[in-house]
Amino acid sequence: MVRAQARAAFLFGRHTEFDYDHHDLQQQKWLLREVFAGEGWEVPQLLAGLDQAEDFYFDSISQIVMSRCSDRRVTLIGDAGYCPGPAVGGGGTSVAVIGAYLLADALLAEDDPRRAFDRYENTIREMVTRSCRVGPTTMKTLIPATARQAWLTVQSMRLIPHLPPAVQRRLFALQAGPATALDSVQLGTNVSVNPEPRHY
């Protein structure tokens, strides 16, 4: 007999981070219980099951935004340099692949890696700026700030399946933040399948 498992995710927003021991699971569970104390529905039962959870995980969802990805002979690509953020649905992978392509194109176009990194920075800047807006916008939807916003979110989720397919496609297109960010990129033409080796 196969046992089914149900998992729960608790998301909440704060203006300041908790100061807690990242190795103390009991303290983390206590914090979670404090934040959601007094909530209704199935929340008390879910919180009661925290001590039996074998895969409990507690952490902050953060986004680091840098003015530059490069310094002298070192540069960053993908999530290390410009992560779109949480709940983007694969957008980070797309941005990383495009970033790697543009870095390769810049390195092939310039003899000096520092000039190549400047070229890379200039090419990706608009894409990075746009993609970094996606995560915070998504989180505002996932974590409503008021009870009214939470109610409206639930009602919207209930309504969407009953809308005409064309309207549903339009609504989902509005959420395509990473795709819009990628539209801002002009791909270079220096990348070859079998490039000549280059030593700096």
Side-chain angles (χ1 to χ4, degrees):
M1 180 177 177
V2 178
R3 291 180 59 192
Q5 288 187 332
R7 289 185 170 86
F10 288 85
L11 299 174
F12 59 94
R14 281 178 57 87
H15 294 295
T16 57
E17 284 196 55
F18 279 126
D19 181 17
Y20 67 95
D21 183 348
H22 291 261
H23 300 286
D24 189 342
L25 292 182
Q26 292 309 312
Q27 182 190 22
Q28 295 168 27
K29 291 176 182 179
W30 181 84
L31 288 171
L32 197 59
R33 289 186 175 108
E34 282 291 301
V35 170
F36 288 94
E39 294 293 336
W41 189 62
E42 302 291 338
V43 173
Q45 183 179 350
L46 292 169
L47 292 174
L50 282 177
D51 291 329
Q52 287 73 49
E54 298 177 355
D55 55 356
F56 176 79
Y57 179 76
F58 184 89
D59 202 354
S60 65
I61 298 175
S62 306
Q63 183 185 57
I64 297 172
V65 179
M66 298 183 295
S67 59
R68 243 184 107 73
C69 298
S70 307
D71 185 22
R72 294 185 291 273
R73 295 176 65 89
V74 176
T75 194
L76 303 172
I77 63 169
D79 285 357
Y82 35 86
C83 177
V88 177
T93 303
S94 301
V95 171
V97 170
I98 296 297
Y101 181 96
L102 294 172
L103 175 59
D105 184 73
L107 287 168
L108 288 167
E110 302 288 349
D111 292 329
D112 184 329
R114 284 167 292 196
R115 284 202 304 270
F117 292 162
D118 285 340
R119 182 186 184 113
Y120 165 64
E121 292 275 355
N122 293 333
T123 307
I124 66 168
R125 184 49 44 198
E126 186 176 352
M127 177 186 74
V128 169
T129 301
R130 289 190 185 187
S131 68
C132 285
R133 293 180 189 141
V134 177
T137 302
T138 303
M139 293 311 293
K140 286 178 183 176
T141 303
L142 290 176
I143 308 176
T146 65
R148 179 172 175 76
Q149 287 178 4
W151 182 85
L152 287 171
T153 300
V154 172
Q155 300 312 310
S156 299
M157 293 301 103
R158 289 177 175 167
L159 175 64
I160 286 174
H162 303 288
L163 295 174
V167 177
Q168 291 185 35
R169 286 193 296 273
R170 178 66 181 148
L171 287 173
F172 291 131
L174 294 174
Q175 300 297 319
T180 303
L182 297 180
D183 286 343
S184 67
V185 176
Q186 180 67 43
L187 294 180
T189 58
N190 295 304
V191 178
S192 169
V193 176
N194 298 300
E196 292 293 322
R198 181 177 293 185
H199 304 285
Y200 293 108

